[in-house]
Amino acid sequence: MKPLIAGNWKMNGLSASLAEFDAMVAGYDVVLRSAVDLMVCPPTTLLTSMAVRVGTSGIALGGQDCHAAIQGAHTGCISAEMIADAGGTSVIVGHSERRADHHETSEMVAAKAKAALRAGLLAIICVGETKSERLEGKALAVVGQQLKESVPVDLDASRVVIAYEPVWAIGTGLTPTTADVIEMHAHIRALLSDLFGAAGASIRILYGGSVKPSNAAELLSAANVGGALVGGASLKAADFLPIAQAAAAIVR
Ligand code: 13P
């Protein structure tokens, strides 16, 4: 399966940033397209504008969160159906910033993942340990528990992507060692096989946390790394496209 390079713009981007998106559309040429799936998850305010500009480039668009319900009295929230209606084909759920800032539990994340599939979207389900959990030797256990609680087993495995994002690596410039990435991704792969049987082998497991053009090749070459979820470096075409090119250059 092609690697997936997904950009999470978080709460960044005004209409002026559409020029960067245009540059990404222009740079996602036929060669890159044949080797890598590219996705941008902008703030919802830019989703429809990007959907118009994406043209036939094949860049996928996604949301950064959704409510579990289809519609209703939930001021400020957005449903998975609304993301689909705006031109999105995926949604990130359970990002550590949502788990921390909005007190989202894994149970809530699982309900959002179900909502994503109900709306026909791909669910990108995030897991990851904090620095203290890693230092205490609990990283595998914490991530395993999050995964079991956040990934409903009755989901269609072909519509699920997992993103492993160590909280301490997000926006810090720090990354785990390649050995740690390999260990964690193998652990997640084994759990997915327990949950989904043979279908678990084909679920993409993205790495996220301080991915940059300079470290992308090494991180993306690790076993069971099926792509990257990129924050800061996804805001500029000059950073994001080289990450996609690094993914394309890896012989699998
Ligand atoms: P950074 O790439 O800025 O570290 O963010 C990673 C992330 O949280 C993507 O969802």
Side-chain angles (χ1 to χ4, degrees), residues 192-206:
L192 291 173
S193 295
D194 286 350
L195 289 173
F196 291 102
S202 55
I203 295 178
R204 283 198 276 210
I205 309 170
L206 311 183

Side-chain angles (χ1 to χ4, degrees), residues 168-175 207-212 215 219 229-231 233:
W168 52 271
I170 295 175
T172 58
L174 302 172
T175 51
Y207 168 78
S210 296
V211 177
K212 301 180 281 239
N215 62 18
L219 289 163
L229 185 54
V230 185

Side-chain angles (χ1 to χ4, degrees), residues 6-10 92 95-97 126 163 165-167 169-174 207-212 228-234:
N8 174 9
W9 280 28
K10 308 191 179 184
I92 299 167
H95 192 282
S96 60
E97 288 152 14
C126 302
E165 300 204 306
V167 176
I170 295 175
T172 58
L174 302 172
Y207 168 78
S210 296
V211 177
K212 301 180 281 239
L229 185 54
V230 185
S234 71

Side-chain angles (χ1 to χ4, degrees), residues 127-147:
V127 292
E129 83 285 357
T130 62
K131 185 79 192 171
S132 59
E133 287 163 344
R134 176 152 290 273
L135 290 175
E136 288 163 26
K138 296 183 188 156
L140 294 177
V142 165
V143 168
Q145 188 71 19
Q146 279 180 355
L147 195 81

